[in-house]
Amino acid sequence: MDRLGTVTLLLVVMGCGPTLAPHVDAEKSDSAGGDTGVDSTETGQDSDDTNGETGEDTGETEVLDWEQAAATFMEEEFGSGLGLAVAGTAGLLGSDSSLALGSPFAQGDGDSGGVVHVFSAADRGEVLASAAGATLLGESGSEAGKALAGGADVNGDGIEDLLGGGYHGADGAGLTWLVYGPVSGQHSLSAVGVRIIGEQINDFSGHSVDFAGDVDGDGMQEVLVGAYHRNDGLEGSYEGAVYVVDPVASGDQSLDDALRILGSSAGIEAGYALAGPGDMDGDGLAEVAIGARYDGTSGEYAGGVYVGAGPATGITTVADADSVWTGEVAGAYAGSALSRAGDVNGDGLADLLVGSRRQDGTGDSAGAAHLVVGPLAAGGSLLDATARLLGINAGDRAGWSVADGGDFNGDGFDDVWVGAPRNSEELRVAGAVYLALGPLLGTHSLQDVNGRILGAMEENLLGVAIAGLGDVNGDGGADVIIGAEQGDALLFLSGMP
């Protein structure tokens, strides 16, 4: 395949999945939770890789074949970062399912404005960025497309909408755009979407975004915006904040008037990641999950996750959360990635995925992902999470990204995806992504889970972004997008035999 500069790898894998057994231990183990970009402080290669296994091996891992790709999405602007954030929406282009891919380092409406490309999920073969059904341009310097979220219809028109974040916009206060479909052609994001503006310079709002569901009981869909550099006057600053926004129909909107959930301690960076997991306690209202990767409750930089039950009203802090989960060990960065998990254990309540990408265990910074299931509990250490999925090798950074896989294999239980973008199993820092079928219970090495995709090139960093799509090709199985920092962008229609 001809190379077009440095292109970013994206995979979309289509269900139904392989006939593989889910991971359920007889007893829960007592031993030891989107981000969509690569931090400059975390790009060094770890050495002394070691392999480790925990939990019962329930069957041979299916290694997915790159040759099964149905489409290859390729960037044309060198170093644009196509695929560093990914999302799925239904009907954003006016028909069929759509794939939104962020290119935060693309030119956009000015230097580093960023671009969000929207493709049809029916695209096949080699697809250049210029062939996108819609090309949405960020404002100069905003790096639009560093965060994306889809899968919700805010205005009730039957078309799923798109959230995009550009946390360097507005002098670092940050920008978030809510795009109501349908869209086509090339436009400024601000021309086709509501522009949500951060409160203060250098708050970095829009670093994380998600649709929340109905958090406050008004019957309307809210959106979540994270501002992990928010400084509310605590000594040392950067306590961070998450905003719960009732979006307007058009124009500009300030976070000044939104419900604000502040970090409770300086430097914890609350809102670095966030998620709208859904209704975890069965009261009909959605919850808000907030990641604070530098929380020190259980050790320096152990990280933590704060879950607030709806209804949420007024200005509050994460200290008021109904459920608090802390990192297993110092330096774990628990809460550096969060995602709704669907219903993995089949009890009718929503579940939550937590990434702890620097957790030591089988090796230094091997990483881990944790499953926290409803009903909402008081919390505790992620050591006691319902399921723990542990990185294989030192430096893998498993849990860099986590995602709800939907019901990939059609057994009635939702499944989960975990990204380990610095895995070097086949090629140096090529990355890997793992599929674990629900229901899940206990502790498992990612070496033993049900499916695995390995990066195809050195320094590919497969797995920096993952998003569940639902069933985009109508075969009854849930599908998924997987992004990488470099390489090709691939759409899989494998059927996963």
Side-chain angles (χ1 to χ4, degrees), residues 74-274:
M74 305 175 69
E75 72 177 10
E76 296 167 273
E77 183 178 341
F78 180 86
S80 68
L82 177 73
L84 283 176
V86 296
T89 65
L92 189 65
L93 292 175
S95 63
D96 300 324
S97 294
S98 307
L99 312 175
L101 315 181
S103 297
F105 307 126
Q107 181 75 7
D109 263 348
D111 289 343
S112 299
V115 175
V116 177
H117 304 276
V118 186
F119 298 92
S120 169
D123 285 340
R124 299 292 178 264
E126 293 187 355
V127 183
L128 299 179
S130 58
T135 302
L136 308 178
L137 310 178
E139 300 173 20
S140 180
S142 64
E143 296 186 0
K146 261 287 185 66
L148 293 172
D153 179 11
V154 173
N155 59 352
D157 63 356
I159 298 172
E160 290 184 357
D161 307 313
L162 178 69
L163 278 172
Y167 70 98
H168 286 303
D171 294 322
L175 295 171
T176 299
W177 295 271
L178 172 60
V179 179
Y180 297 117
V183 294
S184 62
Q186 180 170 299
H187 305 277
S188 165
L189 273 164
S190 299
V192 296
V194 176
R195 190 175 70 150
I196 303 171
I197 306 168
E199 283 195 276
Q200 302 174 161
I201 291 176
N202 293 328
D203 275 359
F204 289 177
S205 72
H207 181 271
S208 53
V209 296
D210 201 5
F211 292 98
D214 182 11
V215 172
D216 57 11
D218 64 356
M220 304 296 291
Q221 171 89 234
E222 280 81 51
V223 302
L224 303 176
V225 177
Y228 75 101
H229 265 203
R230 164 80 189 195
N231 175 10
D232 210 46
L234 296 180
E235 184 178 354
S237 68
Y238 301 156
E239 63 269 27
V242 167
Y243 298 84
V244 183
V245 183
D246 285 305
V248 298
S250 62
D252 286 353
Q253 183 171 9
S254 173
L255 289 177
D256 290 346
D257 301 322
L259 168 67
R260 187 183 305 118
I261 305 172
L262 300 172
S264 57
S265 302
I268 67 172
E269 295 193 350
Y272 184 84
L274 53 76

Side-chain angles (χ1 to χ4, degrees), residues 263-293:
S264 57
S265 302
I268 67 172
E269 295 193 350
Y272 184 84
L274 53 76
D279 183 7
M280 297 184 71
D281 58 9
D283 67 352
L285 296 176
E287 273 62 77
V288 177
I290 299 172
R293 64 172 178 166

